[in-house]
Amino acid sequence: KAGVTQTPRYLIKTRGQQVTLSCSPISGHRSVSWYQQTPGQGLQFLFEYFSETQRNKGNFPGRFSGRQFSNSRSEMNVSTLELGDSALYLCASSPGTSGGRTDTQYFGPGTRLTVL
Amino acid sequence: AQSVTQPDIHITVSEGASLELRCNYSYGATPYLFWYVQSPGQGLQLLLKYFSGDTLVQGIKGFEAEFKRSQSSFNLRKPSVHWSDAAEYFCAARKDAGGTSYGKLTFGQGTILTVHP
């Protein structure tokens, strides 16, 4: 099976702009989670989607949003970019079965966002 | 608050030496536990996981981890390190419950492994 894919791999934006990142999960996986990775804060959970519904979210401002489509592909959007949003954004997919209790997350290569 | 701690920021070992990376967790109940590895510029690759049962878990690339409930630890080990093991290693945990546990892994700060020839 193909792994998790993320596009684009690299992005450069300026402050105040918005950006959309895309994630295609492993075939058959219905849960998609997003994480932000920075040197200072490490890996932090953004949100999780399952069957087009956000089931969980982390402690990020409302500028960070996401959605999931019927084919399980997911996008995340960051509006009004700030310098501190520069990070590696990782997407992970999992089957989402059994109520997610024994789910294992498989990560994509990430999108490196640089905000100037 | 739930947390995962990796006490060692950076570890250096010689090729062929044994390795142990430490991980401690703080949760109300035993969480599900994972180890991931990240090479520079890459995503995270799953090494192994613990849900329940046998406390010694085998993973890929010759890694194993031992769950010790009494010490709230899940340390990663490898008997003989190869130069290709140089990377950053992350311990992660997730609650065994729905609601606020959906999809949410809590990660340690990571341990950078350097391997000397």
Side-chain angles (χ1 to χ4, degrees), chain B residues 41-75:
Chain B
Q42 303 297 313
L44 302 174
Q45 181 182 24
L46 177 71
L47 287 175
L48 46 77
K49 58 191 176 185
Y50 173 77
F51 290 142
S52 65
D54 194 347
T55 57
L56 187 61
V57 180
Q58 301 298 320
I60 63 171
K61 303 185 178 186
F63 286 94
E64 66 178 25
E66 185 171 14
F67 168 68
K68 292 185 177 180
R69 185 188 307 274
S70 61
Q71 297 178 19
S72 297
S73 70
F74 187 56
N75 294 349

Side-chain angles (χ1 to χ4, degrees), chain B residues 53-105:
Chain B
D54 194 347
T55 57
L56 187 61
V57 180
Q58 301 298 320
I60 63 171
K61 303 185 178 186
F63 286 94
E64 66 178 25
E66 185 171 14
F67 168 68
K68 292 185 177 180
R69 185 188 307 274
S70 61
Q71 297 178 19
S72 297
S73 70
F74 187 56
N75 294 349
L76 182 71
R77 301 194 296 241
K78 187 169 185 177
S80 178
V81 171
H82 188 262
W83 64 266
S84 60
D85 293 325
E88 189 162 15
Y89 291 79
F90 292 93
C91 180
R94 194 182 78 242
K95 278 196 314 181
D96 172 17
T100 58
S101 76
Y102 285 129
K104 181 180 180 181
L105 286 172

